Amino acid sequence: TVATSSRTDAIKSIYGVSVARDLIEVSASENDPQFSVFNMHGYISNSNYSSKKTTMVLFINDRLVECTALKRAIEVVYAATLPKASKPFVYMSIGLPSEHVDVNVHPTKREVSLLNQERIIETIQTTVEQKLRCSNSTRTFLTQTAHSSQSTPANAKKDSNLNPSPSGSRSQKVPINKMVRTDSTDPAGRMEGYLQHKQSSLSSIRCAVRHRRNPKEIADLTSVQELLRAIDSDCHSDLLDIVKDCTYVGMADDVLALLQHNTRLYLVNVVNLSKELMYQQVLRRFAHFDAIQLNDPAPLSELIMMALKDEDPDSKCNDNDGLKEKIAEVNTELLKTKAAMLSEYFCIHI
């Protein structure tokens, strides 16, 4: 490299522009003889950088060496920041008293060990972590263009066969399952865009669903109004924004789901969130539920018997059937007496 060039210019000339453009300047030092004496200056890759192999260029007292412990410590920090299987680029120049460096660790003197090594590594690791967190406001992702899934006309196919491209390459069609949606607000990127038969009444269905979920009228019962006020007064504005503007990624396991908000990922307990959602929906739609008409009304006594048998661990035993039938009969009569209330408040017609 040119002797007068800067560190970043040297990195650019050796490793390329793609590495140099994603670098962050980092520095750390300590001057306490009881703990450690060193100064470090370097450049580390940000969260946009992606590679399958860690590249660490380490100079100690202007000598190119390796320090496995320092390399591992920095990889631990990046493991929580970079996408899976991606590795960082690190350039560091560390200066410290020559008597604090042990060069006899390796026969070729390539590997070195430092006095107060754990303290120095911990300080550098903390500095790198702070720099990465401060620079993690935006990220750049490579995306592929989602091509139309409509079939090519027969005439076009014939023309393409008769007149191949000059380069001899043949354009390949991207399979539907390989397409990537890059914008959730773009109609072309919505899920129905990938279906063979689109629904013409999709907008009317969405409107009906929104109207059903968010009724304008709220029950005028004092108890319901108090419960709704308690929910509104206990609302957490930051969490509300996350849930309101998040993007659903997928289920992590049977209970936890992964949501993305801005550049952060969140694990959400779907069971607890669903319970809270249902509770608030019931309060806001109280006395304004939509009824579902069954062709054949469900027999109450049989439903109650099914519930009792489902809760009984020894359901194969028929000794308690008489007791269960009595319980079903009593509860059926109880629901009959509450028929007016169930109809008015919950739209359940007995």
Side-chain angles (χ1 to χ4, degrees):
T1 59
V2 181
T4 57
S5 64
S6 63
R7 289 286 186 271
T8 51
D9 289 336
I11 293 173
K12 186 188 299 183
S13 63
I14 297 173
Y15 294 99
V17 179
S18 60
V19 174
R21 71 186 176 193
D22 290 328
L23 294 182
I24 312 168
E25 189 173 5
V26 63
S27 60
S29 62
E30 191 170 22
N31 190 15
D32 189 344
Q34 293 183 351
F35 296 102
S36 63
V37 177
F38 80 97
N39 62 80
M40 180 275 293
H41 181 265
Y43 294 91
I44 58 174
S45 57
N46 60 22
S47 54
N48 290 327
Y49 178 80
S50 179
S51 176
K52 295 182 180 180
K53 184 180 179 181
T54 299
T55 302
M56 183 164 184
V57 184
L58 175 63
F59 286 89
I60 295 182
N61 293 343
D62 295 328
R63 179 183 175 88
L64 183 64
V65 294
E66 292 180 358
C67 183
T68 305
L70 178 59
K71 182 179 179 181
R72 288 175 180 170
I74 294 175
E75 284 180 332
V76 168
V77 175
Y78 274 91
T81 307
L82 292 178
K84 188 177 180 182
S86 292
K87 303 296 182 181
F89 175 91
V90 179
Y91 161 79
M92 281 187 183
S93 178
I94 302 176
L96 68 168
S98 57
E99 62 270 18
H100 292 184
V101 184
D102 183 4
V103 297
N104 296 317
V105 177
H106 195 271
T108 63
K109 302 187 185 299
R110 177 77 173 173
E111 179 85 16
V112 298
S113 182
L114 309 176
L115 184 66
N116 301 318
Q117 180 168 285
E118 292 183 0
R119 173 82 177 191
I120 295 174
I121 290 176
E122 183 181 356
T123 304
I124 294 176
Q125 186 182 35
T126 303
T127 303
V128 170
E129 184 177 7
Q130 290 174 350
K131 277 287 185 180
L132 283 176
R133 286 185 176 180
C134 293
S135 67
N136 196 24
S137 58
T138 59
R139 291 191 184 184
T140 303
F141 296 94
L142 296 177
T143 59
Q144 65 185 101
T145 306
H147 299 284
S148 173
S149 59
Q150 295 179 355
S151 59
T152 308
N155 293 336
K157 286 185 178 180
K158 290 180 181 178
D159 293 341
S160 63
N161 292 333
L162 293 173
N163 302 308
S165 58
S167 61
S169 61
R170 185 179 299 173
S171 60
Q172 296 182 353
K173 194 174 181 181
V174 179
I176 293 178
N177 63 325
K178 296 292 184 182
M179 291 183 181
V180 177
R181 288 192 298 160
T182 58
D183 187 358
S184 59
T185 61
D186 182 10
R190 291 177 180 164
M191 291 301 289
E192 57 267 16
Y194 296 86
L195 301 177
Q196 296 297 330
H197 305 286
K198 298 182 181 180
Q199 299 179 3
S200 58
S201 59
L202 192 59
S203 57
S204 60
I205 293 174
R206 280 184 179 147
C207 182
V209 170
R210 274 197 221 92
H211 178 72
R212 189 179 76 244
R213 288 179 177 174
N214 306 293
K216 294 182 180 179
E217 299 180 7
I218 300 177
D220 54 1
L221 295 175
T222 305
S223 57
V224 175
Q225 296 288 347
E226 289 177 353
L227 291 172
L228 287 172
R229 281 195 293 269
I231 290 175
D232 294 335
S233 63
D234 197 32
C235 179
H236 193 290
S237 58
D238 292 338
L239 289 176
L240 179 63
D241 291 338
I242 292 173
V243 175
K244 182 179 179 182
D245 299 323
C246 69
T247 301
Y248 173 75
V249 178
M251 293 298 296
D253 57 21
D254 293 340
V255 176
L256 298 176
L258 201 59
L259 303 180
Q260 178 184 345
H261 182 258
N262 293 335
T263 61
R264 297 180 179 272
L265 291 176
Y266 296 89
L267 278 175
V268 179
N269 188 312
V270 178
V271 176
N272 292 343
L273 189 65
S274 299
K275 287 181 180 179
E276 181 64 26
L277 173 64
M278 293 302 114
Y279 172 68
Q280 294 188 25
Q281 286 286 333
V282 166
L283 288 180
R284 297 193 186 279
R285 294 162 60 184
F286 198 82
H288 295 92
F289 288 96
D290 293 328
I292 298 176
Q293 184 71 38
L294 300 179
N295 291 332
D296 298 318
L300 280 177
S301 58
E302 291 185 21
L303 293 176
I304 297 173
M305 281 293 293
M306 289 171 62
L308 291 171
K309 290 180 179 180
D310 186 59
E311 293 180 355
D312 189 357
D314 193 14
S315 57
K316 295 182 179 179
C317 181
N318 299 325
D319 297 341
N320 297 328
D321 283 355
L323 178 61
K324 292 175 183 176
E325 290 176 358
K326 183 66 177 178
I327 294 173
E329 182 180 344
V330 171
N331 280 278
T332 301
E333 294 301 321
L334 177 63
L335 288 173
K336 286 181 181 179
T337 61
K338 306 292 184 180
M341 181 192 70
L342 291 171
S343 176
E344 181 180 357
Y345 291 160
F346 301 102
C347 276
I348 300 175
H349 304 294
I350 304 296

